[in-house]
């Protein structure tokens, strides 16, 4: 999953002030990613989940968000979201 590692590094470089992502699990054609941060208030939360998809395309990897498995938010505009993606293969 060398391409996915590059995608994660690039996403964190671009969005690290608002949100960071890490891989929690890879099984077969599913990837579980964990997003954590304050997330930009002017951006839609789900835009972050889609951004990783578009970033992956730049590296020749095709993934699609499927489901938010877990969502935790605290009183200080900080959250943690676990999102399942379907791995559709290389472009």
């Amino acid at each position: 999953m060398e391409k996915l590692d590059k995608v994660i590094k690039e996403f964190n470089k671009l969005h690290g002030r608002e949100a960071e992502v890490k891989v929690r699990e890879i099984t077969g054609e599913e990837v579980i990613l964990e997003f954590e941060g304050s997330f930009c208030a002017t951006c839609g939360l789900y835009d972050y989940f889609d951004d990783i998809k578009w970033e992956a395309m730049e590296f020749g990897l095709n993934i699609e968000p499927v489901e938010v498995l877990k969502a935790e938010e605290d009183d200080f505009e900080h959250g943690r979201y676990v999102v399942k993606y379907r791995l559709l293969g290389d472009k």
Side-chain angles (χ1 to χ4, degrees), residues 21-76:
V21 66
K22 66 181 177 182
V23 177
R24 289 204 35 193
E25 186 178 336
I26 300 173
T27 55
E29 295 180 2
E30 290 184 355
V31 176
I32 309 295
L33 301 179
E34 181 178 318
F35 294 80
E36 186 169 2
S38 60
F39 302 95
C40 176
T42 59
C43 302
L45 175 63
Y46 284 83
D47 289 341
Y48 289 95
F49 307 154
D50 282 336
D51 283 352
I52 200 95
K53 168 187 168 177
W54 299 115
E55 200 62 54
M57 291 172 80
E58 293 290 322
F59 288 92
L61 190 61
N62 193 2
I63 63 174
E64 186 71 35
V66 175
E67 177 183 6
V68 176
L69 300 174
K70 189 173 194 176
E72 296 176 356
E73 298 172 349
D74 63 23
D75 295 333
F76 299 105

